[in-house]
Each structure stands twice: as C-alpha cells, then as structure tokens.
C-alpha cells in the first residue's frame, strides 16, 4: 500500500505497538485480564483514530505531490481542493507561489531565446550586407583592365565598408557587455561643456559638409556624476542621429542646465521630426524608422539609452513644437 511506503508511518506503528504492549502488560499486572481487555479495546480505538487521521493527511500530501509532478511536466496551474487552515494550507500556498514563479521564469527564458534568435538574425543580416558588397568590390579590384581612378574609388568604398563593419562589431560588443552587466560605470564629476566638446569633436566635419550649424548653450559649471567616456558615446550617437535628420544647412541645438534634482541635456534639430509610428520603438535594438538612411542600422540610439539608464539617468525622445526631433537626457543627483 502507498500509505505504508512512508518510513514515518512504519516508525509510528513500531512505537505505537511497543507502547500498547507496555500498557497491556501494566494493565494485566494491576487490573487482571479485564483491565487488559479494556486497555486493548481502548488502544485499538485510539490506534484506528490515529492512523485514519494520518491516512487522510498523507493522502492530501500525496495529492499535492501528484499536482506538482503534473505541473513540472507542462501543466501551468495547480487544480486541487483548497485545504483548511493549517500547515497543509500553507504548504499548498507556497507550492502555488513556487510554480507560478517557475512558470514566469520559463516564460522569460523562452522570451530571451526568441529575442536572442531575432538578434542573431538581425546581426547576421547587418554584417552580411557589407560583406556582399566587399566581395563584389574585391572581385572588381582583381580585374587587370581597371582604370586607376576607378580602382581608387573602389578602394575608398572598401575602406568605408570596413570602417562601418568595425563600428558595427564594436557597438554590438558594447551592448553585449552592458546586457551582461560586466561594465562598471564610473561616478566622477563630469563637466557638461567638456562632454559636449568631446562628443561633437569628430562630427564637426560631417556637419560642415552638410552646411549645418551646431549651437551650444551651457553654463561653465554645469555638470553631474557619471562616466565621461560612456556618456560621450551616448551623446555622440544622439547627435549623429540629429545630423542625419536635419536638412542641408540646418541647425542642431544642445542646451544643458543643472538644478537641485538633476542635470538636463537637450539635443534638438530642425528636421522633419520623428513620426508617431516610430516614437514608441525609437530606442529598440535594430529598429529602423521611416526616414532612416540606408546606412542606418538601428543600434546607435538603443546603445545611447542603455548607457544613460546604466547610470541611473533617463533618455526620452519627442518632437519639438516647431518641428524637428527633441532628445532629453536627465542625470539625477541620486540614482533612481
């Protein structure tokens, strides 16, 4: 019988039997055969009541075990009768909590697998595109009849593609490190004016080629606690996005201010702005909006948000009233 498979029951039977034998012997010594019969009858009743109670209790425990077994093999919810107050009710409640937590963890794991699969597909697509072009260029460069001017142009295109791939791989590695939590952000005082100068230093030539103006408004003492190198990367990616969005001869404004709660950095352009469809997905990895250039990959803004969030800050995007994109970074005095 399943009831007697429990070592606790077998142990109780031995102890109960030994105790009953002692009681019978004592009853026989002091009360004779009649006392022994009364003691035996009472012992039988108490034994039957005790083991019936134990049987019912272990039966409920067995039902709980069966439900847990079914849940572990795909069933997501425990469907057993509610227990009365007591240890069994507490056990059932804790088991339900555990199973719900396991189901939630399983769903998160499945979502992570799907996300990883989609990310790998996106990464392979982003790398395959320039690789295909590189192979075509290399094939053309192998031609002996190629003119010097054409060869020079092909080499320039090849260099640009290789630089793009290098940037892509480096950015993906940075995002992977942030995802894994292996990067320890510094907490030093950053001067925002210096931050803007560093972040836009390598972007002045592309702006000049597009005849765009950079207008900066920032007090000398404005600053916050953060990591200069990583925040520079974040700000640079946002400004790059604004350069692509702003028209030829357009303007890019960067304004910063510090108050008792946070330091705010606002980046704006006077382009066409961000479409309503793109706004909810703008910071998603590999998302490309309607007006994204062909060279756009969709990871620059995602990395920017990850960096700001890692430092306890907030990065938001919207549209200016007069048109154009509006990005706002806030770094709080105490991390939220």
């Amino acid at each position: 019988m399943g009831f007697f498979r429990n070592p606790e029951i077998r142990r109780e039977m031995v102890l109960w039997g030994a105790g009953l034998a002692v009681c019978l012997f004592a009853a026989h010594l002091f009360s004779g055969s009649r006392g022994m019969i009364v003691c035996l009858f009472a012992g039988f009743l108490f034994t039957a009541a005790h083991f019936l109670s134990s049987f019912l209790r272990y039966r409920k425990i067995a039902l709980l075990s069966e439900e847990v077994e079914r849940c572990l093999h795909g069933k997501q919810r425990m469907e057993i009768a509610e227990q009365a107050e007591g240890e069994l009710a507490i056990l059932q409640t804790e088991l339900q909590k555990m199973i719900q937590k396991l189901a939630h963890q399983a769903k998160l794991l499945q979502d992570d697998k799907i996300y990883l699969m989609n990310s790998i597909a996106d990464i392979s697509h982003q790398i395959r595109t320039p690789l295909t072009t590189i192979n075509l260029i290399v094939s053309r460069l192998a031609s002996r009849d190629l003119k010097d001017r054409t060869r020079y142009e092909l080499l320039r295109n090849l260099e640009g593609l290789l630089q793009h791939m290098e940037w892509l791989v480096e950015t993906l590695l940075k995002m992977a490190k942030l995802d894994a939590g292996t990067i320890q952000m510094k907490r030093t005082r950053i001067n925002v004016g210096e931050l803007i100068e560093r972040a836009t230093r390598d972007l002045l030539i592309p702006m000049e080629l597009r005849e765009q103006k950079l207008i900066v408004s920032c007090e000398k003492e404005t600053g916050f606690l953060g990591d200069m190198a990583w925040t520079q990367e974040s700000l640079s990616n946002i400004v790059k996005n604004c350069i692509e969005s702003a028209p030829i001869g357009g303007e890019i404004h960067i304004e910063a201010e510090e108050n008792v709660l946070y330091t705010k950095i606002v980046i704006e352009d006077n382009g066409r702005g961000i479409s309503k469809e793109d706004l909810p997905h703008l910071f998603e990895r590999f998302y490309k909006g309607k007006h994204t250039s062909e060279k756009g990959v969709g990871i620059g803004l995602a990395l920017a948000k990850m960096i700001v969030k890692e430092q306890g800050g907030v990065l938001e995007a919207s549209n200016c009233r007069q048109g154009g994109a509006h990005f706002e970074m806030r770094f709080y005095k105490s991390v939220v």
Side-chain angles (χ1 to χ4, degrees), residues 150-166:
T150 304
R151 190 183 302 276
Y152 175 73
E153 291 177 355
L154 289 174
L155 286 172
R156 284 191 60 187
N157 291 335
L158 182 61
E159 182 183 10
L161 288 168
L162 290 173
Q163 289 177 351
H164 175 72
M165 286 190 63
E166 182 182 9

Side-chain angles (χ1 to χ4, degrees), residues 95-264:
L95 284 173
Q96 288 175 336
K97 290 179 182 178
M98 180 189 70
I99 290 172
Q100 289 175 359
K101 188 173 182 179
L102 288 174
H104 179 65
Q105 292 294 333
K107 185 179 183 304
L108 289 179
L109 183 60
Q110 183 65 24
D111 292 342
D112 286 342
K113 287 182 178 179
I114 295 173
Y115 176 76
L116 180 60
M117 180 181 66
N118 294 334
S119 297
I120 291 174
D122 288 329
I123 292 169
S124 61
H125 172 73
Q126 296 298 337
I127 294 178
R128 189 185 301 117
T129 302
L131 277 177
T132 302
T133 308
I134 288 173
N135 286 330
L136 293 174
I137 292 175
V138 171
S139 300
R140 291 197 61 189
L141 286 172
S143 176
R144 296 181 179 180
D145 300 330
L146 202 63
K147 294 181 181 180
D148 290 342
R149 183 174 180 179
T150 304
R151 190 183 302 276
Y152 175 73
E153 291 177 355
L154 289 174
L155 286 172
R156 284 191 60 187
N157 291 335
L158 182 61
E159 182 183 10
L161 288 168
L162 290 173
Q163 289 177 351
H164 175 72
M165 286 190 63
E166 182 182 9
W167 172 84
L168 178 63
V169 171
E170 287 181 354
T171 304
L172 290 171
L173 285 174
K174 291 174 182 176
M175 296 177 76
K177 290 179 180 178
L178 287 170
D179 280 335
T182 58
I183 293 176
Q184 186 68 35
M185 293 286 180
K186 297 179 181 178
R187 295 282 293 173
T188 57
R189 178 73 179 178
I190 296 176
N191 181 274
V192 177
E194 182 183 355
L195 171 67
I196 296 172
E197 192 275 329
R198 290 189 182 188
T200 58
R201 185 182 300 162
D202 296 333
L203 303 176
L204 295 178
I205 293 178
M207 292 180 67
E208 184 177 349
L209 293 175
R210 294 174 62 90
E211 299 179 1
Q212 295 172 341
K213 293 181 181 179
L214 176 64
I215 302 172
V216 179
S217 175
C218 175
E219 297 290 338
K220 289 184 178 181
E221 301 302 321
T222 302
F224 62 93
L225 293 178
D227 190 297
M228 172 63 86
W230 281 101
T231 311
Q232 175 185 334
E233 174 87 21
S234 178
L235 181 58
S236 178
N237 286 340
I238 296 173
V239 176
K240 285 178 186 176
N241 188 85
C242 291
I243 291 174
E244 294 177 0
S245 301
I248 301 296
E251 295 180 349
I252 296 172
H253 296 257
I254 302 179
E255 181 179 349
E257 65 174 77
E258 182 179 4
N259 56 43
V260 294
L261 297 178
Y262 55 79
T263 298
K264 179 174 68 173

